[in-house]
Amino acid sequence: QTPGFSGADIANVCNEAALIAARKSKKTIGKQDFLDAMDRIIGGMEKKSKIISPIEKKTIAYHEAGHATVSWMLQYASPLVKVTIVPRGKSLGAAWYLPEERQLTTTQQLEDEMCAALGGRAAEEIFFGKISTGALSDLEKVTKQAYAMISIYGMSKKIGNISYYDSSGQNNGFTKPYSEERAKIMDNEVTSLVETQYERAKKVLLENKEKLEKLANSLLENEVIFKSDLEEIFGERKWKSYEEEKLNELDSKAEQKKNKKEDKNGEKLD
């Protein structure tokens, strides 16, 4: 659950886990202490004292449930680990994912990630008929990603296999290496890409409307839900990431080793 972490980041998680365990007067550090430490480092401190009205809380729950639902239903979206509506840092709710450590990313993978990021705002529009400022960070991420796809990675048929990325840094952003006409085409392509994924997110949510409501109500009741809760509502996810397959493989080997050991002990007893 720590992709992209440096050695210092992991050391920080370990120190935070020790502090959390000490605050609970525990003699050993457990798995939950490490999970709480990661939540605190990635998302910031819990702010349960922050006053949130019931309608705002409901909006946040549906927003986060929207993200979770879309990511669960798309093949290349990062698999979910945990969703919470307890305020942390600057955010009013958060979803933790287990992203794959890819060296290469395809157009379809980027589109699925973009669609999942727009799932929160799409849920607000579907269930409340209005949108809020809560999607700011999602929109910022999606906009940057869309412009990168069009202007850097050459993922637009209208623009073609052209990249305006300047690896030398000599341009300094003072002059555009393309015309105003090309800039308009790029803007239109970005808008089209984002709106297509937004409509796709709404379609996924409408197809799973009842399940999303169940998930949002579970969030309102418990304030936090895990992967197991999503499996209970939506069923097992169709696709598994490379990391999940490796974890399952390790768990399977550990189980086999344990069974062999138990068999040997049984033979001795006989």
Side-chain angles (χ1 to χ4, degrees), residues 102-122:
R102 304 186 192 118
Q103 305 306 315
L104 296 169
T105 308
T106 65
T107 306
Q108 195 176 353
Q109 286 168 338
L110 287 168
E111 286 175 349
D112 279 7
E113 286 173 11
M114 197 180 289
C115 186
L118 292 165
R121 168 156 283 194

Side-chain angles (χ1 to χ4, degrees), residues 15 18 41 81-83 89 91 158 200 204 210 214 220 233 247 262:
N15 290 334
I41 285 165
V81 175
K82 174 183 175 181
V83 186
S91 65
K158 284 188 180 177
R200 187 177 168 215
V204 170
E210 288 180 12
K214 197 174 178 182
L220 283 166
I233 294 169
L247 282 169
E262 285 175 356

Side-chain angles (χ1 to χ4, degrees), residues 162-182:
I162 294 172
S163 175
Y164 294 107
Y165 178 65
D166 179 25
S167 58
S168 65
Q170 291 174 359
N171 186 21
N172 295 321
F174 291 117
T175 57
K176 291 178 182 177
Y178 45 82
S179 66
E180 286 300 317
E181 189 181 337
R182 177 56 61 96

Side-chain angles (χ1 to χ4, degrees), residues 52-65:
I52 300 170
S53 69
I55 186 63
E56 282 181 326
K57 195 173 182 180
K58 190 175 181 182
T59 303
I60 295 162
Y62 275 84
H63 182 103
E64 296 304 335

Side-chain angles (χ1 to χ4, degrees), residues 78-227:
S78 300
L80 188 96
V81 175
K82 174 183 175 181
V83 186
T84 177
I85 56 169
V86 175
R88 279 184 180 276
K90 291 180 181 180
S91 65
L92 299 173
W96 277 258
Y97 299 91
L98 189 61
E100 283 191 287
E101 294 192 62
R102 304 186 192 118
Q103 305 306 315
L104 296 169
T105 308
T106 65
T107 306
Q108 195 176 353
Q109 286 168 338
L110 287 168
E111 286 175 349
D112 279 7
E113 286 173 11
M114 197 180 289
C115 186
L118 292 165
R121 168 156 283 194
E124 287 182 36
E125 188 181 332
I126 289 167
F127 288 94
F128 303 103
K130 51 191 173 185
I131 53 176
S132 73
T133 56
L136 174 60
S137 60
D138 301 325
L139 298 179
E140 183 187 2
K141 174 190 168 185
V142 163
T143 305
K144 284 179 179 176
Q145 198 172 47
Y147 270 104
M149 287 172 73
I150 303 302
S151 64
I152 295 174
Y153 299 120
M155 291 177 171
S156 163
K157 287 181 181 178
K158 284 188 180 177
I159 302 298
N161 298 312
I162 294 172
S163 175
Y164 294 107
Y165 178 65
D166 179 25
S167 58
S168 65
Q170 291 174 359
N171 186 21
N172 295 321
F174 291 117
T175 57
K176 291 178 182 177
Y178 45 82
S179 66
E180 286 300 317
E181 189 181 337
R182 177 56 61 96
K184 283 180 183 177
I185 296 169
M186 286 164 66
D187 286 342
N188 289 336
E189 283 290 276
V190 167
T191 302
S192 174
L193 176 60
V194 173
E195 289 308 309
T196 298
Q197 294 311 314
Y198 184 64
E199 291 303 318
R200 187 177 168 215
K202 286 205 289 187
K203 187 185 175 191
V204 170
L205 296 181
L206 286 166
E207 286 170 357
N208 297 277
K209 197 174 180 182
E210 288 180 12
K211 291 175 181 177
L212 190 152
E213 279 188 278
K214 197 174 178 182
L215 189 65
N217 289 329
S218 179
L219 258 177
L220 283 166
E221 190 179 335
N222 305 306
E223 293 193 325
V224 60
I225 54 171
F226 298 90
K227 182 184 172 184

